[in-house]
């Protein structure tokens, strides 16, 4: 039987959105704010966040767009997620810490389940067998795809495999995230990412703090 990784302690916060929408910036700012308020915070990311998952990350984010099929991507992202949960997320939640994760299963639901292919059911089936854990709170940062793609590519990170699918791909991702935020509105907060960093961070911090108190 697959070992369950559900953990009801701590608080598991995720950031989602299209490439370049400002997730890393905002997750760093929230981590700094909550740390300043005296909370023990673990800031992490997907794909990655543990030694094994970081190795899988390098396979996924570089190389040609046709390097992996959408089906293979689902398996690789899920393998990375399982390792990340076992090694990083669950141990931190067990200690009662706040875990802030830049991307999680909602990215698989939208990238592999909607934009790369129509595979949402497969993503959900695999998630229910291997992962199960859902976030307690999710910030979906909404951004204009043209702007966000330019911001993302300007970083010149060498991790642009998904940006290389182009603007229409980013537009379909945006629609996917908007739908997801609506259907998961018990935990998802849609945030307008086309504003000044500090303004966005203030809104996010207010929501996060209201969940902790
Ligand atoms: P993501 O993690 O969603 O890909 P990042 O946080 O890395 O996005 O931001 C992408 C780029 O846009 C970075 O160069 C970052 O400094 C810049 N950026 C982030 N937030 C804003 C903002 N609110 N306004 C303008 N530029 C931003
Ligand atoms: P990330 O480094 O967060 O990208 P960015 O900073 O550009 O937003 O994530 C790497 C890429 O992996 C990103 O393009 C989205 C993609 N991805 C998926 O396709 N499925 C997934 O399940 C996850 C977690 C990420």
């Amino acid at each position: 039987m697959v070992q369950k990784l559900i953990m009801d302690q701590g608080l598991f916060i995720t950031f989602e959105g299209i490439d370049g929408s400002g997730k890393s910036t905002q997750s760093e700012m929230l981590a700094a704010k909550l740390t300043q308020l005296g909370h023990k915070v673990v800031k992490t990311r997907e794909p990655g966040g543990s030694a094994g998952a970081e190795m899988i990350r390098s396979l996924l984010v570089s190389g040609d767009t046709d390097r992996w099929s959408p089906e293979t991507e689902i398996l690789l992202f899920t393998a990375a997620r399982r390792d990340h949960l076992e090694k990083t997320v669950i141990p931190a939640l067990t200690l009662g810490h706040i875990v802030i994760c830049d991307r999680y299963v909602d990215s698989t639901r939208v990238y592999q389940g909607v934009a790369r292919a129509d595979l949402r059911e497969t993503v959900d089936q695999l998630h229910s067998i291997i992962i199960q854990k859902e976030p307690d709170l999710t910030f979906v940062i909404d951004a204009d795809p043209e702007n966000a793609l330019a911001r993302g590519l300007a970083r010149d990170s060498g991790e642009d495999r998904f940006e290389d699918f182009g603007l229409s791909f980013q537009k379909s991702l945006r629609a996917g995230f908007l739908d997801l935020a609506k259907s998961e509105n018990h935990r998802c907060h849609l945030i307008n990412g086309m504003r000044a960093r500090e303004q966005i961070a203030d809104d996010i911090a207010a929501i996060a703090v209201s969940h902790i108190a």
Side-chain angles (χ1 to χ4, degrees), residues 16-27 102-103 141 147-148 151-152 154-155 163 193-198 200:
E16 297 284 357
I18 64 175
D19 300 278
S21 55
K23 298 174 302 300
S24 310
T25 304
Q26 291 302 325
S27 54
D102 192 342
R103 293 194 186 279
I141 305 193
N147 253 283
R151 281 185 195 169
R155 285 177 304 202
E163 277 98 336
M194 302 306 293
R195 297 174 292 158
R197 288 171 178 79
E198 293 69 23
I200 302 169

Side-chain angles (χ1 to χ4, degrees), residues 62-125:
S62 61
D64 293 341
T65 51
D66 62 1
R67 183 175 186 184
W68 309 109
S69 70
E71 289 81 358
T72 311
E73 285 173 10
I74 293 173
L75 293 169
L76 289 170
F77 280 113
T78 305
R81 181 160 306 130
R82 175 78 196 194
D83 191 65
H84 180 220
L85 277 175
E86 287 176 2
K87 308 279 171 48
T88 304
V89 176
I90 298 294
L93 293 177
T94 305
L95 292 170
H97 297 164
I98 297 174
V99 175
I100 299 180
C101 188
D102 192 342
R103 293 194 186 279
Y104 187 62
V105 64
D106 293 326
S107 281
T108 323
R109 289 177 173 137
V110 173
Y111 278 73
Q112 282 68 44
V114 176
R116 290 278 283 123
D118 184 11
L119 286 171
R120 173 66 194 263
E121 214 180 302
T122 307
V123 171
D124 286 341
Q125 283 171 342

Side-chain angles (χ1 to χ4, degrees), residues 22 29 35 46 58 70 92 95-96 137 149 152 163 195 199 201 203 211:
M29 290 173 87
T35 303
E46 288 206 355
S58 67
L95 292 170
L137 177 61
L149 187 59
E163 277 98 336
R195 297 174 292 158
Q199 217 184 340
D203 283 1
H211 267 75

Side-chain angles (χ1 to χ4, degrees), residues 171-190:
K171 286 181 176 167
S172 121
L173 290 172
R174 183 194 201 181
F177 277 117
L178 291 176
D179 282 350
L180 185 123
K182 226 182 271 171
S183 65
E184 295 284 309
N185 64 4
H186 54 282
R187 68 172 167 88
C188 287
H189 292 259
L190 190 63

